[in-house]
Amino acid sequence: MTPLAEALVRRIRADGPMTVADFMAACLGDPRHGYYMTRQPFGRGGDFITAPEISQMFGELIGLWAVATWQAMGKPSSFILAELGPGRGTLMADALRAARLRTDFVAAARIHLIEASPRLRVLQAETLRGVDVKWHGEFADLPEGPAIFLANEFFDALPIRQFARTAEGWAERMVGIAPDGHFTVGLRPTAPPVIGGAGLANAAPGDVFEVSRAATATIAAVAERLTSHGGAALVVDYGHDGPAFGDTFQAVAEHRYQDPLAAPGEADLTAHVDFGALAEAARRVGALPRRLVTQGDFLIRLGLRQRAERLGRDKDDATRARIASEVRRLTDPKAMGTLFKVLAVSSHGLALPVFDDDP
Ligand code: SAH
């Protein structure tokens, strides 16, 4: 048993079964044993690989998107460029490198990172050496001002509660302990909180509905900043344009799916992002969410193919083949192209590149 599993067993024996959200929050964020607190999960030697780690082109194109967005904002001479959950800091480093030619953009940008893990902050500082960076443990600690917010694979790490429709009605899935001592999921009769006017009435027995209070509260906080100070947010993640039913609670370790209850603190726990719920939460505080775009479309419309072509020019065949395979991984529907989606949110009256372009 992992040290965190022992602590969770004690907690459940004392307080009774816990929500999936509390279990997930402990597994990822426990200050001593949480997954993100103790590990460096990214890359080939880690547990999973994210788009900025697949290709420098991902962060570069997002950097160009940020420059165009800043221009649409009227080129404020000082603005916040913040990333939520920056991992190794690769996306921000690539974005700033691509934006380097726009010296007025770079001079205006105040770089802020929202990162809970002290260990990952050290890595981010290394990746972003030479850049003036400020870190915050929570979004609420950011200073006010016009802003561009970026988040890649951040919202999937925020805890979800799960509700299951049974023949008798709704019940919440709770993590308890089986007679053999392992964690197990049980049901506690209770209705899901009504969020986003979900079509809960259409549920059939067996359906599972997921709610992330942390995700909707975070996007609402982001959107409130956008409505009061102007700016835009770009959220990239795997998920669906909900509401939708399905159990998406999952664990990944060493690039393989695992039982999410099996090794608390040692596997990455995530859930698919309900983009419909995020958009609704943003709209509710007066911001303007755009129609969801797939990651593949987003990158191609930003010029991924042209960027790949330039990057491969004068390179050897092996390098060109590597670049071509990066393009495929990022855009192919069989890889990340359609499972991953991009949500843009902004203050009203801002024309966002890609989202507000003529098709
Ligand atoms: N964006 C990066 C990393 C994604 S992993 C990439 O694409 O490679 C998720 C990141 O979010 C990690 O940096 C993790 O430490 C951070 N994180 C997760 N939950 C968080 C929370 N509640 N508050 C702040 N940071 C969090």
Side-chain angles (χ1 to χ4, degrees):
M1 233 191 225
T2 65
L4 183 58
E6 285 169 14
L8 290 173
V9 165
R10 280 197 299 277
R11 186 166 150 191
I12 292 171
R13 292 214 195 283
D15 301 338
M18 60 204 292
T19 64
V20 170
D22 286 344
F23 184 83
M24 196 171 163
C27 288
L28 294 178
D30 180 85
R32 272 180 53 219
H33 305 298
Y35 178 77
Y36 281 117
M37 303 302 143
T38 60
R39 302 196 164 225
Q40 197 292 83
F42 317 101
R44 270 173 248 289
D47 290 317
F48 57 91
I49 184 158
T50 58
E53 304 300 330
I54 288 175
S55 174
Q56 68 181 77
M57 295 183 286
F58 184 80
E60 289 171 349
L61 291 171
I62 288 180
L64 299 182
W65 182 88
V67 170
T69 297
W70 170 75
Q71 286 167 335
M73 287 160 64
K75 302 191 193 177
S77 59
S78 170
F79 76 104
I80 292 162
L81 178 59
E83 185 179 354
L84 291 81
R88 297 179 52 191
T90 308
L91 190 163
M92 185 60 86
D94 292 340
L96 291 174
R97 192 181 58 253
R100 186 172 53 181
L101 294 177
R102 295 307 315 252
T103 47
D104 44 354
F105 171 89
V106 176
R110 309 275 169 267
I111 310 301
H112 292 264
L113 301 179
I114 292 100
E115 175 55 68
S117 160
R119 184 152 176 195
L120 289 177
R121 286 185 187 195
V122 173
L123 276 179
Q124 291 154 15
E126 279 169 23
T127 309
L128 290 163
R129 200 174 305 135
V131 180
D132 185 6
V133 178
K134 300 236 172 354
W135 279 270
H136 311 274
E138 293 188 22
F139 184 82
D141 301 335
L142 270 181
E144 310 263 319
I148 298 177
F149 299 111
L150 307 173
N152 184 62
E153 290 209 38
F154 171 76
F155 281 88
D156 65 67
L158 300 182
I160 51 149
R161 291 171 71 186
Q162 289 190 315
F163 296 87
R165 179 78 200 187
T166 71
E168 288 77 44
W170 284 103
E172 178 157 15
R173 304 187 77 204
M174 305 290 293
V175 179
I177 303 163
D180 67 2
H182 288 103
F183 293 107
T184 183
V185 169
L187 293 176
R188 174 156 78 195
T190 179
V194 181
I195 288 186
L200 294 177
N202 302 328
D207 280 343
V208 172
F209 184 65
E210 298 177 338
V211 175
S212 178
R213 193 46 216 131
T216 48
T218 302
I219 197 76
V222 167
E224 264 169 13
R225 301 241 174 183
L226 299 177
T227 40
S228 36
H229 303 284
L234 193 72
V235 176
V236 187
D237 223 309
Y238 43 92
H240 46 268
D241 203 356
F245 297 118
D247 172 7
T248 74
F249 184 40
Q250 64 184 33
V252 171
E254 292 164 356
H255 301 271
R256 263 191 275 267
Y257 289 107
Q258 317 229 328
D259 172 2
L261 305 183
E266 293 184 357
D268 184 34
L269 301 188
T270 68
H272 284 208
V273 172
D274 180 349
F275 283 105
L278 296 191
E280 175 61 25
R283 191 177 292 118
R284 231 182 260 176
V285 298
L288 183 64
R290 302 305 197 282
R291 205 208 301 225
L292 212 51
V293 172
T294 65
Q295 173 173 299
D297 281 349
F298 176 71
L299 294 175
I300 284 170
R301 287 170 65 182
L302 277 175
L304 178 66
R305 294 203 194 291
Q306 294 82 341
R307 178 76 192 113
E309 167 66 30
R310 277 201 51 198
L311 208 54
R313 208 176 285 162
D314 310 324
K315 299 281 165 42
D316 58 30
D317 286 352
T319 306
R320 293 164 73 98
R322 176 178 56 74
I323 294 168
S325 104
E326 292 172 6
V327 171
R328 272 197 306 280
R329 286 182 74 180
L330 293 175
T331 61
D332 195 306
K334 289 197 283 298
M336 302 173 83
T338 52
L339 173 62
F340 281 74
K341 301 183 177 68
V342 188
L343 173 69
V345 179
S346 78
S347 42
H348 283 266
L350 200 57
L352 294 180
V354 175
F355 299 90
D356 298 320
D357 294 350
D358 292 331

